Amino acid sequence: MTSRRNFLKTTSLTTFGFALGVSSFAKDATLKKITPAIVSLEINPFIIIDTAGNITLVNPRPDMGQGSTQAVPSLLAEELEVTLEKVKIVQSDGKGKYGDQTSGGSSSVRALWQPIRKAGAAAREMLTETAAKRWNVPISECFAQDGKIVHRGSGKSLTYGELADDASKLEIPKNPKLKEAKDFKIIGKYNKRLDVPERVTGKAVYGLDVDVPGMVYASIVHSPMLHGKIASIDDTETKKIAGVLQVVRTERPMPHRKSEAVAVIATNWWAALKGKKALKVQWDNGNYDKTLSTQKYFDATYEAAKKEGINYEEKGDFSAKYASAKQKTEANYETPFLAHAPIEPENAIVHVKDDGTIEIWAPVQGPDWALRDVCGYMNVKPEQVKINVTLLGGAFGRKAYHDFLLEACHLSKELKKNVKVTWTREDDITQGPYRPGMLSHLQGFVENGKITGFHHHAIGESIAGQVFKGLKDDEADPWLTGEISPENSKYNFATASKISWTNVKTDIPVVWWRSVYASNFGWGQECFIDELAHLAGKDPLQARLDILSDERFRKVLETLAEKANWKEKLPAGQGKGIAVFRSFDSISAACVTVSKQENGVKIDKVVSVIDCGYYVNPDNVKAQTEGNIVMGLTSAIKDGITFTNGVCDQTNFHQFNLMRINEAPKMEIHIIDSGANPGGVGEPGLPPIAPALGNAIFAATGKRIRKLPFDISNIG
């Protein structure tokens, strides 16, 4: 049974009447080692109802724009029979009693769907039982409504606050009865985002907004070649700037290595930034000017494509069947390194105190991972660290990589001061980490007008290997199964199929980027399926349906065909392309329409269909999908990240361009109500976008594009 009284003593919340955890329904996270698997999640959130009737949810998922501050309380409010306005949100702090707390892998709703609802249902049952005992009536005559328990016969009622203290003495039900979908009042319905007014008026607090008394500001000079060593420092001009306090050597700790850096410390951010620009640092770059090159990296991937990879899974003898096939083809599809470029750059405030405790204010995706990393780096215990998580102004995976936070830890320890580290946009883009550039080497064959053989050889740097040091040299990246295996795509290649892997390593730091490998490998898979469809003489939609027996996939594609009017005859110079991909337990498909325009094409329209199972708010599903469309198109037709002679070629948005509002095409989003278990929403809409665009360009122009990014105004 949950120790409510101990929680009462340790929580900072007051007027406490009732605290309910869901450790009855999930393993106690304090008993398990926190692992780096982004979607292997166990939950232990708390709901708190005080004697005044206030309802507080300790939300274990930071909000970085995906809407967790509405979605998670919606699950609770639904089962508690209260409106969203009555649920107050408190962000968890990384402590083990709250379980896994990382926003990533589109996991918030799908992981919390059962635990949060069960917590709400359990609280409802306990409150109902308490009221029934007070009135000495059967429980069946009582029901919850708008924060009260009502007696059906007499109409009398008691508020949750009036019942909270006595309810807290009951045992937590192990199997509370959840509401049926037909009775939902909040889940699946359009509801206003209550957090929007504060965000648009500037009242919401992001990491950059936090100002702690007595803090100093740090602007950091990183090596242009990422891993260069400091040869000399000339701070003569820097120290002349008013407000600059000192210049100190520091370090940037990354999962795969540390890099040296120099910090300018000042009384205000402007002085720190001016001091950084005036600082002269000479770097010993070793051989990085010769070895740190995206061109050399991709050359190595293309060489790897000529060889056998590590076999991940295989059905039939693909090589033998491919060798004897009469209709076959192969191709390479390339995706670039990409920066995350969140609108709010990386920042953190850290105070390492004299008593050895540490307090942190930072926009991090997971306070539990941040706690783990800080404890490991600073050699302290979790109880010595307090993390205050702010809202995140975007992240896309970047703010679960804590180099910027550990920089602040190092500086605060050295300076014995409260330090705020803020990265510039140039730091963010030139230093990484990045989505890894990847190559897909694809082979396939057709028989009797049907795609029956398919081999996807995935090639590139491994996130599991570089970030988590969890990949052996003779082992295929385990994350492939969730991206490109036939079990994930549900494509049935009747004769033979194969998935293989080659790890091409680099010192360019990498980490997950929105939709992780799905954004890389969806490009190759779905464009190559189109190539095989044309080889078979089949319509690309029909070719997919021919090898799909899964009804959810078929429904998504058939809905897309209907909504996008797939079968309409287009005038010369126009073309439509489709793609479908499953990621994070959701199925998403897209149809892109383009028209020829001088030497290039114009993107006219994108129709997206998503089956994410049960969802909380359809408006949020559409908003996230629209964001995925824009980000997917941007990654296809705007700039990638490249390194030449050891230095990143892109420094700011003038070289790492984003799609602008006037470039965005018309968008239609359609949601399929499949009634399946909840899937992700924040990422699954992205993987089909680039391949649908590539296939549309082929349909309009006959030009097959296999390398991203490309210039849409001049496709050759």
Side-chain angles (χ1 to χ4, degrees):
M1 190 176 80
T2 303
S3 175
R4 307 181 192 86
R5 298 303 176 190
N6 286 340
F7 184 72
L8 262 170
K9 293 175 183 176
T10 57
T11 183
S12 60
L13 295 164
T14 57
T15 60
F16 217 100
F18 172 50
L20 174 66
V22 298
S23 57
S24 300
F25 316 117
K27 294 178 183 177
D28 187 352
T30 60
L31 302 180
K32 81 175 186 69
K33 181 181 178 182
I34 297 174
T35 67
I38 199 165
V39 293
S40 178
L41 303 165
E42 294 178 357
I43 319 300
N44 190 16
F46 294 93
I47 58 173
I48 302 112
I49 303 175
D50 66 25
T51 52
N54 299 309
I55 301 168
T56 300
L57 169 70
V58 180
N59 178 27
R61 299 305 169 93
D63 199 316
M64 53 185 176
Q66 85 278 27
S68 73
T69 51
Q70 188 205 40
V72 180
S74 293
L75 301 176
L76 176 61
E78 183 68 78
E79 295 293 344
L80 266 181
E81 296 289 1
V82 297
T83 61
L84 279 171
E85 289 87 348
K86 292 192 175 181
V87 181
K88 177 186 175 183
I89 303 295
V90 175
Q91 180 58 51
S92 64
D93 60 3
K95 295 300 192 295
K97 62 188 176 185
Y98 300 122
D100 293 281
Q101 299 155 62
T102 297
S103 290
S106 292
S107 61
S108 293
V109 169
R110 62 188 177 126
L112 296 171
W113 177 257
Q114 287 288 332
I116 292 288
R117 290 180 61 212
K118 282 187 174 181
R124 186 185 70 238
E125 289 187 3
M126 295 164 75
L127 292 163
T128 304
E129 181 182 348
T130 301
K133 285 180 178 178
R134 284 202 191 170
W135 294 323
N136 195 25
V137 299
I139 293 176
S140 60
E141 294 181 5
C142 304
F143 63 94
Q145 182 183 70
D146 195 26
K148 300 176 182 179
I149 301 299
V150 181
H151 180 235
R152 188 173 284 104
S154 64
K156 58 188 175 182
S157 65
L158 290 166
T159 66
Y160 289 173
E162 292 173 306
L163 298 167
D165 191 53
D166 284 345
S168 71
K169 300 168 186 175
L170 300 177
E171 293 290 329
I172 300 173
K174 292 183 179 180
N175 294 296
K177 183 176 174 56
L178 301 179
K179 292 175 68 173
E180 296 183 26
K182 64 181 179 62
D183 298 322
F184 286 163
K185 300 172 185 175
I186 298 174
I187 295 174
K189 315 296 183 184
Y190 283 95
N191 287 288
K192 289 183 179 179
R193 287 277 298 270
L194 301 179
D195 52 3
V196 167
E198 286 194 346
R199 300 189 190 198
V200 299
T201 57
K203 294 180 180 179
V205 178
Y206 293 83
L208 286 177
D209 297 320
V210 178
D211 191 356
V212 177
M215 71 183 185
V216 295
Y217 295 78
S219 187
I220 299 178
V221 180
H222 298 102
S223 170
M225 292 191 185
L226 293 182
H227 309 305
K229 295 183 178 181
I230 299 169
S232 65
I233 301 171
D234 181 354
D235 58 8
T236 305
E237 297 302 315
T238 295
K239 288 185 174 179
K240 294 178 181 177
I241 295 171
V244 169
L245 299 172
Q246 61 189 114
V247 174
V248 296
R249 289 175 177 253
T250 186
E251 62 186 25
R252 178 193 177 195
M254 291 173 280
H256 68 301
R257 63 176 302 150
K258 290 181 182 178
S259 289
E260 296 182 4
V262 185
V264 176
I265 311 300
T267 57
N268 61 81
W269 167 242
W270 180 239
L273 183 61
K274 285 183 69 179
K276 172 183 177 177
K277 292 179 178 179
L279 192 66
K280 297 176 182 178
V281 182
Q282 294 294 322
W283 300 94
D284 177 2
N285 295 311
N287 292 321
Y288 284 113
D289 59 334
K290 300 180 180 66
T291 60
L292 208 64
S293 160
T294 46
Q295 183 60 55
K296 289 183 178 179
Y297 170 83
F298 279 112
D299 287 346
T301 66
Y302 279 91
E303 283 300 312
K306 300 173 184 177
K307 305 171 185 176
E308 287 288 324
I310 298 170
N311 199 351
Y312 182 75
E313 65 179 41
E314 186 170 13
K315 184 186 80 172
D317 187 339
F318 180 84
S319 296
K321 297 294 184 181
Y322 182 78
S324 62
K326 295 180 180 178
Q327 286 185 287
K328 59 186 176 183
T329 188
E330 64 182 314
N332 291 316
Y333 279 84
E334 179 185 323
T335 53
F337 288 83
L338 291 174
H340 301 74
I343 196 66
E344 176 199 33
E346 295 71 42
N347 64 91
I349 301 173
V350 174
H351 189 187
V352 179
K353 302 177 183 179
D354 292 339
D355 62 2
T357 62
I358 302 172
E359 187 163 10
I360 294 166
W361 297 261
V364 291
Q365 284 182 234
D368 53 341
W369 286 19
L371 181 64
R372 174 201 64 194
D373 290 349
V374 168
C375 288
Y377 180 66
M378 300 294 286
N379 194 26
V380 295
K381 297 177 181 179
E383 55 267 27
Q384 294 176 265
V385 182
K386 180 182 179 182
I387 299 180
N388 305 284
V389 181
T390 67
L391 290 171
L392 290 73
F396 315 113
R398 174 60 180 93
K399 290 171 184 171
Y401 190 99
H402 298 126
D403 50 349
F404 62 98
L405 173 57
L406 300 185
E407 284 182 334
C409 286
H410 183 265
L411 286 170
S412 181
K413 183 179 180 180
E414 292 295 309
L415 299 172
K416 295 180 173 51
K417 293 179 180 178
N418 199 335
V419 179
K420 183 169 188 175
V421 166
T422 303
W423 281 33
T424 63
R425 179 60 57 199
E426 288 80 6
D427 290 323
D428 174 61
I429 290 178
T430 64
Q431 295 295 309
Y434 308 102
R435 182 191 79 170
M438 290 286 184
L439 186 70
S440 291
H441 176 62
L442 297 136
Q443 298 172 304
F445 55 86
V446 301
E447 299 168 293
N448 301 317
K450 189 175 181 178
I451 304 170
T452 57
F454 191 87
H455 172 209
H456 195 152
H457 182 185
I459 306 166
E461 179 58 287
S462 166
I463 298 169
Q466 188 191 91
V467 177
F468 297 119
K469 302 177 178 65
L471 190 68
K472 298 176 182 177
D473 289 340
D474 60 351
E475 178 187 11
D477 193 312
W479 291 3
L480 295 182
T481 188
E483 308 291 354
I484 59 175
S485 75
E487 177 57 33
N488 185 64
S489 69
K490 299 300 182 183
Y491 286 138
N492 178 26
F493 304 110
T495 301
S497 63
K498 182 178 179 181
I499 304 296
S500 60
W501 161 260
T502 298
N503 188 185
V504 173
K505 297 180 181 181
T506 178
D507 265 333
I508 298 172
V510 300
V511 78
W512 42 75
W513 184 90
R514 194 174 191 174
S515 80
V516 198
Y517 288 152
S519 68
N520 296 101
F521 298 134
W523 163 246
Q525 173 184 292
E526 286 300 295
C527 286
F528 194 65
I529 289 288
D530 248 47
E531 290 202 49
L532 291 171
H534 287 284
L535 181 65
K538 278 286 184 72
D539 170 80
L541 171 66
Q542 189 58 50
R544 286 172 170 82
L545 293 173
D546 285 347
I547 56 175
L548 279 170
S549 58
D550 185 273
E551 287 304 315
R552 287 183 69 189
F553 271 84
R554 294 180 67 87
K555 179 69 172 176
V556 168
L557 279 174
E558 288 165 354
T559 302
L560 179 69
E562 174 194 344
K563 300 299 184 182
N565 198 8
W566 173 257
K567 294 184 178 180
E568 73 173 321
K569 185 174 177 58
L570 295 173
Q574 277 196 317
K576 289 182 178 180
I578 60 168
V580 61
F581 206 85
R582 180 176 182 264
S583 58
F584 310 101
D585 293 336
S586 292
I587 305 163
S588 179
C591 177
V592 175
T593 304
V594 302
S595 54
K596 291 182 68 175
Q597 194 173 66
E598 298 180 353
N599 295 325
V601 298
K602 177 179 179 292
I603 304 170
D604 299 314
K605 187 176 182 180
V606 178
V607 179
S608 180
V609 175
I610 185 168
D611 177 355
C612 58
Y614 282 117
Y615 51 86
V616 175
N617 187 338
D619 191 51
N620 199 46
V621 176
K622 291 184 176 182
Q624 288 295 298
T625 305
E626 288 171 351
N628 273 310
I629 291 171
V630 171
M631 203 160 175
L633 292 175
T634 296
S635 70
I637 65 175
K638 298 297 182 178
D639 306 292
I641 290 291
T642 57
F643 276 78
T644 304
N645 297 326
V647 177
C648 184
D649 297 314
Q650 296 74 33
T651 61
N652 208 312
F653 287 131
H654 67 297
Q655 294 164 317
F656 190 72
N657 284 275
L658 305 181
M659 176 172 277
R660 297 175 179 269
I661 291 176
N662 66 329
E663 298 176 286
K666 295 179 181 178
M667 290 180 269
E668 283 184 17
I669 316 297
H670 301 277
I671 307 169
I672 292 180
D673 292 306
S674 65
N677 289 331
V681 168
E683 299 171 273
L686 190 149
I689 300 303
L693 172 61
N695 293 336
I697 290 172
F698 177 80
T701 68
K703 170 78 173 178
R704 180 65 72 181
I705 296 172
R706 298 189 179 93
K707 179 180 178 180
L708 298 182
F710 61 90
D711 183 356
I712 198 169
S713 67
N714 184 15
I715 61 172

